[in-house]
């Protein structure tokens, strides 16, 4: 209670704490824990199944839910290595999965990713200067996204793992690491299944 004399304006004093940095830290920690749990769950599932399409599908849903993006994809190189087929995904138009192919030219995001030494992060596809997005991305209004290589047998690329959103988004280094971890799980499973088929 604030005391004051008659005729004087009461004055209250207090202390204000800015909790924003602490709150942001808590959000970041919760996000990282959620990503680590997702990686652990996918790793367990990858060891339990030989059904690669089911694994790709699970990875795509896990990425969409954990990163809160509208579109995810697993692209697999065709046997002639001239294109990538959309093997699994979330958020694409009906009939796209299993049918849509993407070129591997350097001026496409997927083609650029196959040649890149690190994951590719796009903050705005409309102003991107390294490559243009394929029709698949433009037709779905993609603005931001990330993509990375899925390794195959003998260190050759198997394909590309990507996530996309139709809104502005800055992906953190933890998001990039998470995408790479999922790609590594898929790559290990691809290599394990390929080795088993050769025996």
């Amino acid at each position: 209670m604030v005391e004051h004399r008659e005729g004087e304006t009461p004055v209250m004093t207090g202390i204000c704490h800015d909790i924003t940095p602490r709150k942001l830290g808590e959000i970041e920690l919760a996000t990282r824990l959620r990503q680590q749990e997702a990686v652990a769950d996918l790793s367990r599932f990858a060891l339990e199944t030989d059904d690669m399409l089911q694994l790709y599908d699970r990875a795509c849903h896990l990425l969409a839910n954990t990163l809160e993006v509208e579109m995810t994809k697993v692209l697999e190189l065709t046997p002639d290595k001239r294109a990538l087929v959309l093997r699994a995904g979330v958020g694409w138009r009906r009939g796209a999965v299993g049918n849509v192919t993407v070129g591997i030219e350097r001026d496409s995001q997927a083609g650029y990713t196959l040649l890149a030494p690190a994951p590719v992060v796009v903050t705005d596809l409309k102003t991107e200067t390294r490559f243009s997005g394929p029709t698949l991305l433009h037709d779905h209004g993609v603005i931001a996204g990330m993509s990375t290589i899925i390794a195959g047998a003998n260190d050759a690329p198997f394909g590309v793992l990507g996530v996309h959103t139709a809104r502005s988004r800055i992906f953190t280094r933890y998001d990039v690491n998470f995408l790479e971890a999922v790609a590594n799980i898929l790559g290990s499973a691809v290599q394990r299944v390929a080795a088993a088929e050769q025996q």
Side-chain angles (χ1 to χ4, degrees):
M1 182 172 167
V2 177
E3 292 187 22
H4 62 280
R5 294 183 192 155
E6 192 173 324
E8 290 181 350
T9 303
V11 176
M12 294 188 73
T13 60
I15 298 172
C16 179
H17 292 285
D18 183 3
I19 63 166
T20 305
R22 185 176 71 198
K23 190 66 175 170
L24 288 174
E26 290 171 1
I27 292 169
E28 182 180 289
L29 179 60
T31 299
R32 289 174 61 193
L33 288 173
R34 194 168 71 246
Q35 291 174 351
Q36 289 171 358
E37 288 172 6
V39 166
D41 288 344
L42 187 64
S43 293
R44 280 190 294 273
F45 184 76
L47 293 172
E48 296 168 357
T49 187
D50 289 331
D51 185 335
M52 296 306 293
L53 288 179
Q54 191 176 18
L55 178 61
Y56 303 154
D57 187 60
R58 188 159 183 149
C60 285
H61 281 87
L62 179 140
L63 285 166
N65 292 333
T66 307
L67 290 173
E68 298 177 353
V69 293
E70 301 96 305
M71 291 154 275
T72 61
K73 66 185 180 191
V74 170
L75 297 171
E76 179 183 353
L77 275 166
T78 56
D80 62 9
K81 312 291 187 206
R82 293 185 178 176
L84 290 151
V85 178
L86 181 61
R87 282 288 173 229
V90 169
W92 308 107
R93 292 197 179 110
R94 184 185 300 270
V97 173
N99 296 309
V100 170
T101 58
V102 176
I104 61 165
E105 300 79 19
R106 186 180 176 87
D107 66 344
S108 75
Q109 183 174 350
Y112 187 90
T113 300
L114 287 172
L115 299 172
V120 176
V121 179
V122 177
T123 55
D124 189 343
L125 190 59
K126 293 176 186 170
T127 60
E128 180 59 57
T129 58
R130 297 170 292 177
F131 47 80
S132 62
T135 304
L136 177 68
L137 299 186
H138 289 294
D139 286 351
H140 288 81
V142 166
I143 293 175
M146 301 184 289
S147 53
T148 193
I149 292 174
I150 300 169
N154 303 317
D155 293 326
F158 166 82
V160 173
L161 179 66
V163 299
H164 305 282
T165 178
R167 60 194 188 317
S168 293
R169 169 79 179 264
I170 302 296
F171 292 98
T172 68
R173 65 187 167 105
Y174 302 114
D175 296 335
V176 175
N177 293 342
F178 175 56
L179 181 71
E180 282 188 293
V182 172
N184 289 338
I185 293 168
L186 296 182
S188 294
V190 165
Q191 293 166 38
R192 175 176 53 81
V193 170
E197 289 174 351
Q198 290 177 354
Q199 292 179 352

